[in-house]
Amino acid sequence: GVSGLQIAYVSGQEALQEPAPAHCFTSKDLSALVTPLTSSSKFRGLDILLTSQWPRGVWHYGNTPVNTKSCGSSSIAVLADKLKPRYHFAALEGAHYERLPYRNHVVLQENAQHVSRFIALATVGNPAKKKYLYAFNIVPMKNMDPTELVKQPQDVTENPYRRPAKDKKEAPKPAFSTEEEEPAQQFFFDLGRKQDGNARGRGRKRPSDWEDRGRHRQEQHRQPRHPQPSGPCWFCLASPQVEKHLVISIGTHCYLALAKGALTPRHVLILPIGHYQSVVELSSEVVEEMEKYKSSLRNLYKSKGERCVVFERNYRSQHLQLQVVPVPLDRCTTEDIKEAFMVQAQEQRMEMMEIPQHTDLKQIAPPGTPYFYVELDSGEKLFYRIQKHFPLQFGREVLASEPLLNIPTRADWKECKQTREEEEQSCKQLRDDFQPYDFSWED
Ligand SMILES: [Zn+2]
């Protein structure tokens, strides 16, 4: 146009059969539209894309629309991914939906590009008065300062059209898939509940001890089969090396254990039951349960006047250990904690960076990439891609340092080793404290 805005549009719907009816398009028609544009090395994206249909799966990684999750066309999704419109408008579903902006580049792997915004509008004059007009000012991208153009808003998310293959399994499993037919793995640990008499019922149906619970579960549903290590592992729940007396809670995919040589009494680890090296290798259901444990711990800490710091070191470790450490609220603010990590990383010439809250770690650290990662109670995240060397105790050192917990001598876990009896005592206390927040009993 005269103003220099680049706009493309696709009307009609994707054909469900060949040959395509007159009001429909095929993926071939879309390729014919896209190829001349994207074949130029100068092509960066479009200002505006208008389509009748929604791009399928646009809600992934973003805020969820109502009742329109399975709508839309996959070819439109491919089109939007290739054309990288700054604004993509669609209609047809009669719904108003504004998705969080999403990225068009992979963080730390590609140069920053502009973000895309998807906006669906309802039908003009609809009786429910859903939004059908969207007014905005736009400067054509070709007239914009390049750094201004690629600015990333705080709430930017991953690209919904570029999901790792692992996440794409949406189809329900067949009812009798062989995966489900494997013998169930059960964990029978006596976590000392018998001695407690189990008198403190909180209105929750609760089997009398772990062994009963194991049987109880076996009757109800099969446990998933978890990946096994090739050699001995201290953290695989099924392995003989695991220190079972440190276990606090066992879920379906994850378990909670007292950290050996804990920094403070409620310093725990969230671990996958199966043998996984890092968070980026987990399937979405394991991640989901890990998040549940995090949120339960946050609530426990809150009741004790503490805030929650989580960190992971994916370097020289075979089995993922998510470290969860409480810090007293009156001792330091979230900002203090963030600063301590940033400053102490800088002192060691490590470039720690803040990453947007909605970032999927998988996108910045593909499996196999060593990294160190911190999550603060505000949801803020710090990330460091480990280059050559990394001080193995870095997370503990920062938390133990003078500006934070101020217990520098405890930075080395070997200095904090407890006797077996002390460990058992700490665990018993922690199990009691955690029990009201433990979702794993709510079967
Ligand atoms: Zn393991």
Side-chain angles (χ1 to χ4, degrees):
V2 189
S3 63
L5 275 180
Q6 273 210 302
I7 303 177
Y9 72 90
V10 177
S11 59
Q13 298 191 42
E14 185 171 9
L16 297 172
Q17 84 258 9
E18 300 257 10
H23 60 282
C24 290
F25 60 83
T26 64
S27 55
K28 271 184 212 140
D29 297 333
L30 298 187
S31 300
L33 172 76
V34 169
T35 313
L37 285 169
T38 55
S39 59
S40 157
S41 62
K42 283 185 191 147
F43 181 79
R44 297 283 172 269
L46 285 183
D47 287 302
I48 298 173
L49 173 65
L50 304 166
T51 62
S52 182
Q53 268 184 309
W54 283 36
R56 184 173 274 266
V58 66
W59 49 270
H60 284 292
Y61 300 129
N63 45 320
T64 314
V66 182
N67 296 336
T68 37
K69 268 189 150 182
S70 55
C71 75
S73 138
S74 310
S75 298
I76 294 288
V78 172
L79 179 81
D81 186 24
K82 289 195 174 139
L83 290 182
K84 300 173 189 151
R86 291 165 66 206
Y87 290 86
H88 178 181
F89 294 94
L92 207 71
E93 302 299 327
H96 167 234
Y97 169 61
E98 291 183 34
R99 193 200 182 283
L100 291 170
Y102 62 84
R103 268 194 277 276
N104 282 302
H105 67 279
V106 181
V107 177
L108 302 181
Q109 288 181 22
E110 293 170 340
N111 290 333
Q113 296 185 36
H114 61 273
V115 301
S116 292
R117 293 166 202 274
F118 174 75
I119 296 144
L121 296 170
T123 316
V124 175
N126 66 86
K129 295 199 165 60
K130 284 184 269 188
K131 189 169 170 175
Y132 63 87
L133 267 178
Y134 185 88
F136 65 117
N137 281 317
I138 183 169
V139 176
M141 62 193 291
K142 66 169 203 182
N143 299 344
M144 280 182 77
D145 175 58
T147 47
E148 195 61 33
L149 177 66
V150 302
K151 262 195 183 158
Q152 307 289 306
Q154 266 300 312
D155 53 355
V156 69
T157 78
E158 292 303 330
N159 189 308
Y161 312 127
R162 300 182 207 166
R163 294 181 303 129
K166 256 200 258 176
D167 285 3
K168 286 189 179 161
K169 293 182 202 144
E170 275 164 53
K173 283 200 190 105
F176 299 103
S177 77
T178 48
E179 242 181 295
E180 308 280 339
E181 289 297 294
E182 290 293 335
Q185 248 185 29
Q186 296 294 332
F187 304 100
F188 300 110
F189 299 143
D190 180 1
L191 295 191
R193 287 176 200 257
K194 250 183 199 160
Q195 295 95 302
D196 296 352
N198 293 298
R200 292 153 298 132
R202 284 181 165 81
R204 199 179 276 175
K205 202 174 84 182
R206 200 151 56 102
S208 65
D209 66 13
W210 284 89
E211 202 170 338
D212 277 0
R213 180 184 171 217
R215 288 200 195 102
H216 175 72
R217 281 216 160 170
Q218 200 160 28
E219 285 156 17
Q220 291 207 333
H221 54 87
R222 291 167 192 279
Q223 291 275 1
R225 196 165 56 109
H226 301 289
Q228 306 292 307
S230 47
C233 177
W234 287 89
F235 303 105
C236 277
L237 193 56
S239 89
Q241 288 82 14
V242 78
E243 298 199 57
K244 297 188 170 63
H245 70 285
L246 297 175
V247 174
I248 305 293
S249 162
I250 303 171
T252 308
H253 307 282
C254 304
Y255 71 101
L256 195 63
L258 176 72
K260 211 160 171 62
L263 262 177
T264 61
R266 282 178 284 278
H267 173 187
V268 295
L269 308 178
I270 307 173
L271 308 113
I273 290 173
H275 194 68
Y276 296 95
Q277 190 169 16
S278 69
V279 163
V280 298
E281 288 175 9
L282 302 178
S283 67
S284 53
E285 55 197 342
V286 187
V287 170
E288 214 169 277
E289 196 174 78
M290 222 157 213
E291 290 300 324
K292 271 169 101 175
Y293 269 120
K294 274 194 219 166
S295 123
S296 297
L297 286 164
R298 273 190 216 108
N299 290 332
L300 162 68
Y301 293 164
K302 203 190 259 174
S303 77
K304 303 279 183 188
E306 296 166 328
R307 66 177 91 250
C308 176
V309 181
V310 178
F311 66 90
E312 181 199 351
R313 185 197 77 216
N314 178 28
Y315 175 65
R316 296 229 208 137
S317 69
Q318 295 300 312
H319 190 123
L320 161 63
Q321 302 145 62
L322 205 62
Q323 307 262 348
V324 190
V325 183
V327 176
L329 289 169
D330 55 7
R331 173 85 211 148
C332 38
T333 64
T334 307
E335 203 51 39
D336 294 335
I337 300 170
K338 186 163 137 192
E339 198 185 302
F341 273 104
M342 296 301 262
V343 167
Q344 292 181 48
Q346 206 173 22
E347 281 169 6
Q348 312 225 29
R349 302 189 169 207
M350 301 186 298
E351 205 186 329
M352 181 102 49
M353 54 185 287
E354 197 174 343
I355 54 174
Q357 292 196 17
H358 296 280
T359 305
D360 182 0
L361 265 193
K362 280 179 205 176
Q363 298 282 339
I364 43 178
T369 315
Y371 63 83
F372 177 80
Y373 160 79
V374 188
E375 193 178 319
L376 303 166
D377 61 339
S378 55
E380 289 169 287
K381 295 169 175 176
L382 307 174
F383 178 86
Y384 170 60
R385 181 190 286 251
I386 295 176
Q387 312 289 338
K388 265 193 191 137
H389 302 291
F390 182 74
L392 294 181
Q393 307 271 350
F394 182 71
R396 286 182 70 110
E397 281 164 13
V398 175
L399 284 162
S401 68
E402 188 266 330
L404 302 185
L405 292 168
N406 194 20
I407 41 171
T409 55
R410 296 186 70 83
D412 184 356
W413 75 272
K414 289 180 206 111
E415 298 295 316
C416 308
K417 256 190 188 162
Q418 293 179 298
T419 64
R420 168 102 187 194
E421 289 68 37
E422 287 167 337
E423 284 176 345
E424 278 170 359
Q425 194 50 42
S426 304
C427 271
K428 187 176 177 297
Q429 181 64 51
L430 199 47
R431 270 178 222 133
D432 283 350
D433 287 348
F434 186 65
Q435 194 223 298
Y437 306 93
D438 192 354
F439 59 87
S440 75
W441 291 97
E442 293 163 359
D443 254 336

